[in-house]
Amino acid sequence: MHNDGNLLSVEPLNITGDSDLRNYIPYLLRGGKRLVDHSVRVAYLTRSLGQALGLEADTASSIACAAFFHDIGMIAIEDSIVNKSEPLTAEDWGHLKEHTTLGARFLSYTASEEASIAMDIALCHHEKFTGEGYPNGLAGKEIPLPARVVAVADQYDALRSKRPYKQALSHETTLLTLVFGDERTSPEHLDPEVLAAFLTAEGEIGKIWDEMSEATPPLGSNAFEATRLAS
């Protein structure tokens, strides 16, 4: 892989293509650059992970485009909570968790197959394979497959990203954390098949993440650069 100017060397995801989901992009941009950067990275990582799982390329790309909107509900959460540097209170956590149901409700205003996948992801990407997640405590394969794939991509990006309350981890430390867990992360919370697929593709996933942290990730070959617009 090589970094060509300000674009990724991987094939761009056409998130702003013909899908009705493109109508939601202006709303997601309201969340600011950090949310957009995270959303684009998770989308690209989801595509790579989906292909490693054995999904058809078109299916992996469709799930990845839907994954771009997994955190769209965050635009309805107060900045004082999202950007809080000290530990969140129980009340803060209660509000933050609402981003799943708010995002799914927002996406429900579009009736299409793509929007249906995006709704499943927005609602269920914080469900845990053990049934201890939110908002509905789904377990195992009760959780839609797209959400199980995005959960791993989202966790990887969260661990590697700097946040007001934490430092960024290296790729190697993130791998160890996903496999062995820590005080905040447990491998049992993730679909074991998806996690196994992640481990087979971890080299490529790490390269994609590193490259995207230095480039402006494109939303699609016929679209604009969201990270620039959100700056």
Side-chain angles (χ1 to χ4, degrees):
M1 294 173 62
H2 65 280
N3 191 331
D4 184 10
N6 204 34
L7 297 176
L8 294 176
S9 61
V10 295
E11 180 183 356
L13 274 170
N14 197 14
I15 296 171
T16 58
D18 297 330
S19 169
D20 289 339
L21 288 173
R22 68 183 182 274
N23 297 321
Y24 290 99
I25 289 177
Y27 298 98
L28 188 66
L29 292 176
R30 296 178 184 176
K33 187 178 188 308
R34 191 175 76 183
L35 176 61
V36 174
D37 282 349
H38 168 66
S39 299
V40 177
R41 287 195 303 268
V42 168
Y44 275 81
L45 296 176
T46 294
R47 179 177 63 179
S48 181
L49 181 53
Q51 291 173 338
L53 191 61
L55 300 179
E56 295 289 339
D58 288 348
T59 300
S61 292
S62 293
I63 293 174
C65 290
F68 177 67
F69 302 93
H70 74 287
D71 268 348
I72 195 169
M74 283 292 190
I75 65 175
I77 307 300
E78 293 181 10
D79 287 344
S80 61
I81 295 176
V82 176
N83 299 318
K84 195 171 186 177
S85 57
E86 59 267 23
L88 298 181
T89 66
E91 184 178 3
D92 291 337
W93 272 113
H95 288 304
L96 189 67
K97 289 178 179 180
E98 291 176 355
H99 81 276
T100 56
T101 53
L102 291 170
R105 188 182 309 159
F106 188 36
L107 293 164
S108 71
Y109 290 103
T110 295
S112 68
E113 182 178 356
E114 294 87 353
S116 179
I117 296 172
M119 285 172 54
D120 282 344
I121 292 172
L123 184 65
C124 300
H125 69 283
H126 284 294
E127 299 286 2
K128 297 177 180 178
F129 211 70
T130 54
E132 303 168 80
Y134 64 89
N136 296 315
L138 301 180
K141 294 189 177 180
E142 292 177 337
I143 306 167
L145 176 61
R148 285 182 268 139
V149 175
V150 171
V152 176
D154 186 39
Q155 186 69 69
Y156 176 83
D157 186 72
L159 290 168
R160 292 216 60 189
S161 301
K162 184 177 181 179
R163 293 287 184 262
Y165 54 87
K166 64 175 282 291
Q167 294 298 313
L169 300 182
S170 67
H171 174 70
E172 292 73 19
T173 302
T174 297
L175 286 182
L176 291 173
T177 303
L178 288 174
V179 172
F180 297 107
D182 62 12
E183 66 276 5
R184 297 172 57 91
T185 306
S186 173
E188 287 78 18
H189 293 164
L190 304 172
D191 182 331
E193 293 181 9
V194 180
L195 183 56
F198 170 85
L199 293 176
T200 67
E202 57 87 8
E204 177 187 359
I205 287 172
K207 289 178 181 179
I208 290 173
W209 196 95
D210 287 338
E211 186 179 356
M212 293 179 75
S213 69
E214 300 174 358
T216 301
L219 288 180
S221 56
N222 64 345
F224 52 83
E225 295 167 343
T227 50
R228 176 177 57 82
L229 295 176
S231 298

